[in-house]
Short mmCIF file of all heavy atoms in Angstrom, two decimals:
data_model
loop_
_atom_site.label_atom_id
_atom_site.label_comp_id
_atom_site.label_asym_id
_atom_site.label_seq_id
_atom_site.Cartn_x
_atom_site.Cartn_y
_atom_site.Cartn_z
N ALA R 4 26.48 15.16 -23.57
CA ALA R 4 27.86 15.56 -23.80
C ALA R 4 28.80 14.46 -23.36
O ALA R 4 28.66 13.92 -22.26
CB ALA R 4 28.17 16.83 -23.01
N GLU R 10 35.70 4.62 -13.31
CA GLU R 10 35.48 4.60 -11.87
C GLU R 10 36.24 3.53 -11.12
O GLU R 10 36.65 3.73 -10.00
CB GLU R 10 33.98 4.44 -11.60
CG GLU R 10 33.24 5.72 -11.99
CD GLU R 10 31.76 5.54 -11.93
OE1 GLU R 10 31.31 4.37 -11.98
OE2 GLU R 10 31.06 6.54 -11.83
N LYS R 39 31.05 25.24 -37.84
CA LYS R 39 30.95 26.26 -36.79
C LYS R 39 29.60 26.14 -36.08
O LYS R 39 29.51 26.12 -34.85
CB LYS R 39 31.13 27.64 -37.43
CG LYS R 39 31.18 28.78 -36.46
CD LYS R 39 31.70 30.04 -37.16
CE LYS R 39 31.67 31.24 -36.24
NZ LYS R 39 30.33 31.80 -36.05
N TRP R 54 47.67 21.26 -40.51
CA TRP R 54 48.87 21.98 -40.94
C TRP R 54 48.72 22.26 -42.43
O TRP R 54 48.19 21.43 -43.18
CB TRP R 54 50.11 21.13 -40.72
CG TRP R 54 50.57 21.06 -39.31
CD1 TRP R 54 49.78 21.01 -38.19
CD2 TRP R 54 51.92 21.00 -38.86
NE1 TRP R 54 50.57 20.93 -37.07
CE2 TRP R 54 51.88 20.92 -37.46
CE3 TRP R 54 53.16 21.00 -39.51
CZ2 TRP R 54 53.05 20.84 -36.69
CZ3 TRP R 54 54.31 20.93 -38.76
CH2 TRP R 54 54.25 20.86 -37.35
N ALA R 58 49.37 30.10 -47.77
CA ALA R 58 49.53 31.35 -47.02
C ALA R 58 48.22 31.67 -46.29
O ALA R 58 47.15 31.36 -46.80
CB ALA R 58 49.86 32.48 -47.98
N ARG R 70 47.78 25.48 -38.72
CA ARG R 70 49.17 25.79 -38.42
C ARG R 70 49.80 26.09 -39.78
O ARG R 70 49.88 25.19 -40.62
CB ARG R 70 49.87 24.58 -37.77
CG ARG R 70 49.54 24.36 -36.30
CD ARG R 70 50.13 25.45 -35.42
NE ARG R 70 51.51 25.84 -35.79
CZ ARG R 70 52.59 25.15 -35.45
NH1 ARG R 70 52.51 24.05 -34.74
NH2 ARG R 70 53.79 25.58 -35.83
N GLU R 74 57.14 24.76 -46.66
CA GLU R 74 57.25 23.44 -47.32
C GLU R 74 58.28 22.57 -46.59
O GLU R 74 58.11 21.36 -46.45
CB GLU R 74 57.68 23.62 -48.78
CG GLU R 74 56.65 24.31 -49.67
CD GLU R 74 55.47 23.40 -50.02
OE1 GLU R 74 55.51 22.19 -49.72
OE2 GLU R 74 54.49 23.93 -50.59
N TYR R 97 48.39 19.97 -47.20
CA TYR R 97 47.53 20.03 -46.02
C TYR R 97 47.66 18.69 -45.30
O TYR R 97 47.71 17.65 -45.94
CB TYR R 97 46.05 20.19 -46.40
CG TYR R 97 45.68 21.47 -47.09
CD1 TYR R 97 45.86 21.62 -48.47
CD2 TYR R 97 45.14 22.53 -46.38
CE1 TYR R 97 45.51 22.80 -49.12
CE2 TYR R 97 44.77 23.71 -47.02
CZ TYR R 97 44.96 23.84 -48.39
OH TYR R 97 44.61 25.00 -49.03
N ALA R 109 41.55 11.38 -26.61
CA ALA R 109 41.93 11.10 -25.22
C ALA R 109 41.12 11.96 -24.25
O ALA R 109 40.88 11.57 -23.11
CB ALA R 109 43.43 11.36 -25.02
N LEU R 139 27.32 18.78 -49.99
CA LEU R 139 27.18 19.03 -51.43
C LEU R 139 26.53 20.40 -51.67
O LEU R 139 25.45 20.67 -51.13
CB LEU R 139 26.30 17.93 -52.04
CG LEU R 139 26.19 17.86 -53.54
CD1 LEU R 139 27.52 17.49 -54.19
CD2 LEU R 139 25.12 16.86 -53.95
N ARG R 157 42.65 34.48 -55.58
CA ARG R 157 42.92 35.17 -56.84
C ARG R 157 42.16 34.43 -57.95
O ARG R 157 41.86 33.24 -57.79
CB ARG R 157 44.42 35.16 -57.14
CG ARG R 157 45.25 36.01 -56.18
CD ARG R 157 46.67 36.19 -56.71
NE ARG R 157 47.28 34.90 -57.10
CZ ARG R 157 47.95 34.11 -56.28
NH1 ARG R 157 48.11 34.45 -55.02
NH2 ARG R 157 48.48 32.97 -56.71
N ALA R 173 32.16 14.06 -57.35
CA ALA R 173 31.95 12.67 -57.76
C ALA R 173 32.31 11.69 -56.64
O ALA R 173 31.90 10.52 -56.66
CB ALA R 173 32.77 12.37 -59.01
N ILE R 182 24.91 15.65 -47.16
CA ILE R 182 24.06 16.77 -46.74
C ILE R 182 24.08 17.82 -47.84
O ILE R 182 25.15 18.34 -48.21
CB ILE R 182 24.54 17.36 -45.40
CG1 ILE R 182 24.40 16.30 -44.30
CG2 ILE R 182 23.76 18.64 -45.06
CD1 ILE R 182 24.83 16.75 -42.92
N VAL R 197 23.15 14.17 -37.36
CA VAL R 197 24.04 13.03 -37.65
C VAL R 197 24.93 12.75 -36.44
O VAL R 197 25.12 11.60 -36.04
CB VAL R 197 24.89 13.32 -38.92
CG1 VAL R 197 26.03 12.32 -39.05
CG2 VAL R 197 24.02 13.29 -40.17
N ALA R 221 21.44 -6.71 -13.08
CA ALA R 221 21.59 -7.60 -14.23
C ALA R 221 23.07 -7.85 -14.49
O ALA R 221 23.91 -7.02 -14.13
CB ALA R 221 20.95 -6.95 -15.45
N PRO R 222 23.41 -8.97 -15.13
CA PRO R 222 24.81 -9.22 -15.46
C PRO R 222 25.35 -8.09 -16.36
O PRO R 222 24.62 -7.60 -17.21
CB PRO R 222 24.81 -10.54 -16.23
CG PRO R 222 23.41 -10.99 -16.29
CD PRO R 222 22.51 -9.99 -15.64
#
Side-chain angles (χ1 to χ4, degrees):
E10 290 171 339
K39 185 166 176 284
W54 284 36
R70 283 291 318 280
E74 294 286 351
Y97 296 83
L139 189 67
R157 292 192 310 272
I182 296 180
V197 167

